[in-house]
Amino acid sequence: MIFITAKFRVLPESADRWPEITREFTEATRAEPGCLWFDWSRSVDDPVEYVLVEAFRDDEAGAAHVGSEHFRQAQRTLPPHLAATPRIVNTTIPQDDWSLLGEMAVPERD
């Protein structure tokens, strides 16, 4: 899978509305057949930073995402709400889901 993490610095006046600003893009991306997940989180240390964790099945799914109309629309509508160019880590890994964090294993509960 293609695993991507990106950090978005949002303008202060847009930070509280970021989930709504990105809603259409997020929903359309999640509906793509090759999207495994597409999840936003807000930093607990910096209220204007959002982190996007996303994964796509393979290179073909990633290319379909970047070539989609909703991606092109996001390229037009999201930057006016950003304070800086997003930073990204993008890698391909040989799995298709999250692994368990064994160092913090939780026993089964009744």
Side-chain angles (χ1 to χ4, degrees), residues 26-95:
T26 299
E27 290 175 356
T29 300
R30 287 177 177 165
E32 294 174 21
C35 180
L36 300 175
W37 58 81
F38 194 85
D39 299 320
W40 292 97
S41 297
R42 193 172 192 177
S43 171
V44 296
D45 297 321
D46 184 349
V48 299
E49 182 177 82
Y50 281 83
V51 177
L52 176 60
V53 179
E54 55 188 303
F56 296 91
R57 181 186 62 243
D58 52 25
D59 289 339
E60 183 178 302
H65 171 63
V66 173
S68 69
E69 176 54 36
H70 56 270
F71 188 89
R72 287 191 297 278
Q73 178 71 15
Q75 287 178 300
R76 294 186 294 271
T77 61
L78 299 186
H81 299 280
L82 298 175
T85 300
R87 295 171 297 147
I88 188 169
V89 174
N90 180 336
T91 190
T92 301
I93 56 176
Q95 61 190 71

Side-chain angles (χ1 to χ4, degrees), residues 2 8 11 13-15 18 20 22 24 32 34 39-40 48-49 61-62 71-72 75 79 86 89 93-94 103-104 108:
I2 299 172
F8 290 74
L11 292 171
E13 60 270 21
S14 296
W18 188 249
E20 183 58 34
T22 61
E24 285 184 31
E32 294 174 21
D39 299 320
W40 292 97
V48 299
E49 182 177 82
F71 188 89
R72 287 191 297 278
Q75 287 178 300
V89 174
I93 56 176
E103 295 83 358
M104 293 193 187
E108 287 195 36

